[in-house]
Amino acid sequence: MFSYNLDHLKELESESIFILREVAAQFEKPVLLFSGGKDSIIVSYLAKKAFYPAKIPFALLHIDTGHNFQETISFRDKWVEKLGTKLIVRSVQSSINSGRAHEESGPYASRNILQTITLLDAIEEFKFDAAIGGARRDEEKARAKERFFSHRDEFGQWEPKNQRPELWNLFNGRKKIGEHFRIFPLSNWTELDVWSYIQRNEIELPSLYFSHKRDVFERHGVIYGYADFMELLPDEKVKKLQVRFRTIGDMTCTGAIESNASTVNEIIDELLVSRVTERGSRIDDQRSENAMEERKKSGYF
């Protein structure tokens, strides 16, 4: 079985808890962005640990595309109840109904990018001045440019060339009216760190992360979980495969991998020999060479 340096995990945990406490100290109305994925689960777990025995001093915010995996929604509700904190849900469907967002059509349609509008509207509605996320620098090149405290202007936009230095763990949370920060406590973690921390603390996860049989179809080498709102191309057929997901997002852009890994130990063993990046099956990252950076500049997670 893979053996991990627990002191390294303790250092990462301590750093993340320090950042979460800094957020509570510096900002008036922070919120934790919760997707139901493993990274946001870890951040919320750390938040409970950071402020125990008091309650987590901020709500969780979920932007529901309406095309999420049902397993994610079920786990979200159970997890929030266990944490004993408030959950705010805002839906992309409401943004579409109000004319704020315009839905794509056709086989390649996705609501993933529409989340940005719903998120920025929610930040404005509740006057959040800090939004805590689970992004990590190892995930994608645009995310590698983020600071722990990532400044957003009054339009919610990110400018990678205009970020503040963070020397000696000093974080500058000063902002003008209408501006806010995105906070990334897991910035220095890797995918292997996350799974090793889950293993060590026996943290619950949605069943999607573990091997299971489901209806899927293949498109351009990517395996998708099938749902009745998805439009197939003429040569595509629904079939059953033994799969699991390395990331969890909108069903229309989240690919699965064939896998028999049904335990955390087996997933870690699988990661150690994998040659595919964690987001290698995320089609939203492949729309252009700088897809993630373009989305982040417009206010994406």
Side-chain angles (χ1 to χ4, degrees), residues 57-275:
F58 37 76
L60 273 57
L61 172 63
H62 181 221
I63 304 301
D64 184 0
T65 68
H67 292 169
N68 294 105
F69 293 92
Q70 184 53 51
E71 295 95 325
T72 304
I73 302 300
S74 299
F75 181 90
R76 177 200 71 186
D77 295 340
K78 183 176 72 171
W79 183 252
V80 169
E81 183 178 357
K82 184 175 181 179
L83 289 177
T85 191
K86 179 182 178 182
L87 173 68
I88 300 168
V89 179
R90 289 296 178 266
S91 71
V92 170
Q93 185 62 56
S94 295
S95 298
I96 294 170
N97 293 345
S98 67
R100 290 279 297 142
H102 301 283
E103 188 158 23
E104 297 177 353
S105 61
Y108 296 97
S110 174
R111 289 184 173 184
N112 188 58
I113 197 169
L114 302 184
Q115 294 179 89
T116 300
I117 296 168
T118 312
L119 171 62
L120 293 177
D121 285 350
I123 289 172
E124 173 62 25
E125 176 187 354
F126 292 97
K127 306 301 180 187
F128 294 128
D129 55 0
I132 306 162
R136 311 185 319 269
R137 292 188 182 120
D138 77 318
E139 289 181 275
E140 203 275 340
K141 59 185 179 182
R143 287 183 167 170
K145 300 177 183 179
E146 292 276 20
R147 301 286 198 269
F148 285 109
F149 278 34
S150 185
H151 177 263
R152 296 297 195 271
D153 66 19
E154 65 270 27
F155 301 107
Q157 296 174 332
W158 172 65
E159 176 47 66
K161 296 179 181 179
N162 191 31
Q163 297 301 305
R164 300 167 182 180
E166 295 179 338
L167 304 175
W168 308 294
N169 288 333
L170 296 175
F171 303 109
N172 182 355
R174 292 183 179 178
K175 56 181 176 49
K176 298 176 183 177
I177 294 175
E179 298 177 344
H180 72 278
F181 278 80
R182 303 289 172 85
I183 313 293
F184 301 109
L186 303 186
S187 288
N188 287 336
W189 297 52
T190 66
E191 184 183 13
L192 184 58
D193 293 330
V194 168
W195 280 105
S196 299
Y197 191 79
I198 289 166
Q199 177 192 53
R200 175 184 169 190
N201 293 280
E202 299 181 345
I203 298 171
E204 293 179 74
L205 292 176
S207 58
L208 291 163
Y209 282 111
F210 303 95
S211 180
H212 61 285
K213 272 192 174 180
R214 74 182 307 127
D215 288 339
V216 300
F217 66 95
E218 293 188 53
R219 178 178 294 170
H220 306 314
V222 178
I223 301 170
Y224 293 92
Y226 175 72
D228 57 11
F229 57 78
M230 303 172 88
E231 184 179 333
L232 300 180
L233 295 170
D235 61 337
E236 293 173 345
K237 304 294 182 185
V238 177
K239 56 185 176 181
K240 282 192 180 294
L241 287 179
Q242 194 81 19
V243 299
R244 74 176 190 86
F245 293 84
R246 287 175 71 181
T247 67
I248 294 178
D250 186 282
M251 288 187 70
T252 58
C253 63
T254 306
I257 59 170
E258 289 192 74
S259 172
N260 291 314
S262 58
T263 67
V264 173
N265 289 342
E266 289 172 349
I267 288 172
I268 289 174
D269 289 341
E270 190 178 80
L271 285 178
L272 291 172
V273 298
S274 176
R275 294 181 177 273

